[in-house]
């Protein structure tokens, strides 16, 4: 698998003009790169408006609901996302766990719904107990999730995001991140890609991939600065 660099714009920028500007600058800056995949996850209102014609850039969403349609005010379904050309969806980000009180079971239902619609869920965890049982090896400690998605689990991606590193400017050390990656991998019943997220910047990006062995990165703050994000992509591409 090609390394995956996911830009999580969170609740930014605050205007469509700003979103277009950021997207177009990133697009220009990485147009010659072929050996990795970049996923841009803007806020929902910009998903259908930013114009993507570059094959290495894929669209991602920052969340989705678990039902397809119906009386669920304010929710966005995987079917709607798929229809807009979205391929990836971040699920269970720690900020959603914190501000929207998302619990593991809700998160697992979202993963199931996303898979059913052919989206690739990026499940964010900061500790091993958050891994659902359907991704764990048999015989190990069971996760808290009773669901059994029927859909193939090959499409799930894990993002290890230690809480202390998210948005703090204090990234996890390469050694500790590597240990966690290995510990997570040991628990998994499939060969699922594991990304690192938490204060990634152009200085440390390459080491998480090259030294700590992650299959890619989830980038928050640094993805809002086009030049910094382009540097991250280039540094990983040259790793
Ligand atoms: P950060 O955010 O890069 O700003 O630390 C990462 C994330 O929340 O996914």
């Amino acid at each position: 698998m090609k390394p995956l660099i996911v830009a999580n714009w969170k609740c930014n920028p605050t205007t469509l003009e700003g979103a277009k500007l950021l997207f177009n600058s990133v697009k220009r800056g990485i147009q010659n790169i072929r050996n990795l995949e970049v996923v841009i996850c803007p806020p929902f209102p910009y998903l259908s408006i930013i114009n993507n014609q570059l094959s290495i850039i894929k669209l991602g969403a920052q969340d989705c609901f678990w039902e397809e349609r119906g009386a669920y005010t304010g929710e966005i379904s995987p079917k709607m996302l798929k229809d807009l050309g979205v391929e990836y969806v971040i699920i269970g980000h720690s900020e959603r766990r914190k501000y929207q009180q998302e619990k593991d079971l809700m998160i697992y239902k979202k993963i199931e719904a996303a898979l059913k619609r052919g989206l690739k869920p990026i499940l964010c965890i900061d500790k091993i107990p958050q891994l659902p049982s359907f991704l764990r090896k048999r015989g190990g400690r069971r996760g808290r999730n009773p669901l059994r998605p029927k859909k193939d689990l090959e499409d799930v991606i894990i993002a290890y995001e230690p809480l202390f590193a998210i948005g703090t400017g204090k990234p996890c050390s390469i050694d500790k991140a590597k240990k966690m990656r290995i510990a997570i991998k040991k628990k998994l019943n499939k060969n699922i890609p594991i990304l690192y997220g938490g204060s990634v910047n152009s200085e440390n990006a390459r080491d998480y991939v090259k030294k700590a062995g992650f299959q890619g990165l989830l980038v928050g703050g640094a993805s809002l600065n086009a030049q910094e994000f382009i540097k991250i992509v280039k540094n990983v591409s040259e790793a």
Side-chain angles (χ1 to χ4, degrees), residues 2 23 30-31 34 47 53 60 68 70 79 97 99 112 123 126 128 133 136-138 151 169 197 219 221 227:
K2 288 181 183 175
F23 188 81
I30 64 175
Q31 60 190 347
R34 299 274 174 275
L47 273 171
Q53 289 146 344
E68 293 226 313
K79 190 169 193 291
R97 294 178 194 258
Y99 299 113
E112 192 175 38
L123 167 64
D126 83 302
I128 286 175
S133 53
R136 287 165 181 258
K137 279 188 187 131
R138 264 190 223 159
K151 193 71 189 155
V219 186
Q227 292 319 311

Side-chain angles (χ1 to χ4, degrees), residues 120-133:
K120 295 177 186 163
I122 302 170
L123 167 64
C124 300
I125 63 166
D126 83 302
K127 42 184 168 314
I128 286 175
Q130 290 170 338
L131 281 176
S133 53

Side-chain angles (χ1 to χ4, degrees), residues 13-144:
T14 51
T15 62
L16 174 59
E17 238 2 82
K20 282 183 178 169
L21 229 120
L22 177 55
F23 188 81
N24 289 331
S25 310
V26 169
K27 201 160 85 168
R28 261 197 314 277
I30 64 175
Q31 60 190 347
N32 295 323
I33 293 176
R34 299 274 174 275
N35 59 350
L36 43 75
E37 197 157 284
V38 173
V39 181
I40 307 274
C41 304
F44 289 127
Y46 307 144
L47 273 171
S48 61
I49 300 161
I50 48 182
N51 169 20
N52 180 27
Q53 289 146 344
L54 210 58
S55 60
I56 75 154
I57 299 188
K58 309 288 180 199
L59 272 186
Q62 299 174 18
D63 180 40
C64 69
F65 193 48
W66 57 77
E67 296 290 348
E68 293 226 313
R69 62 170 67 79
Y72 306 105
T73 303
E75 293 296 350
I76 312 277
S77 79
K79 190 169 193 291
M80 295 170 188
L81 294 176
K82 192 75 190 172
D83 190 52
L84 293 180
V86 169
E87 292 182 41
Y88 292 82
V89 55
I90 298 172
I91 295 181
H93 190 279
S94 63
E95 285 151 12
R96 294 202 60 85
R97 294 178 194 258
K98 181 174 172 192
Y99 299 113
Q100 275 78 23
Q101 281 75 46
E102 285 199 6
K103 298 284 180 277
D104 284 343
L105 188 58
M106 295 162 73
I107 290 163
Y108 303 151
K109 280 164 75 173
K110 291 180 175 193
I111 295 176
E112 192 175 38
L115 284 171
K116 211 165 126 197
R117 267 294 147 197
L119 294 170
K120 295 177 186 163
I122 302 170
L123 167 64
C124 300
I125 63 166
D126 83 302
K127 42 184 168 314
I128 286 175
Q130 290 170 338
L131 281 176
S133 53
F134 56 75
L135 293 180
R136 287 165 181 258
K137 279 188 187 131
R138 264 190 223 159
R141 188 175 160 253
R142 293 181 59 85
R144 296 182 206 129

Side-chain angles (χ1 to χ4, degrees), residues 8 10 90 93-95 124 161 165-169 197-200 218-223:
N8 177 10
K10 307 190 181 184
I90 298 172
H93 190 279
S94 63
E95 285 151 12
C124 300
E161 295 214 301
I166 298 178
T168 57
S199 297
V200 170
L218 181 47
V219 186
S223 72

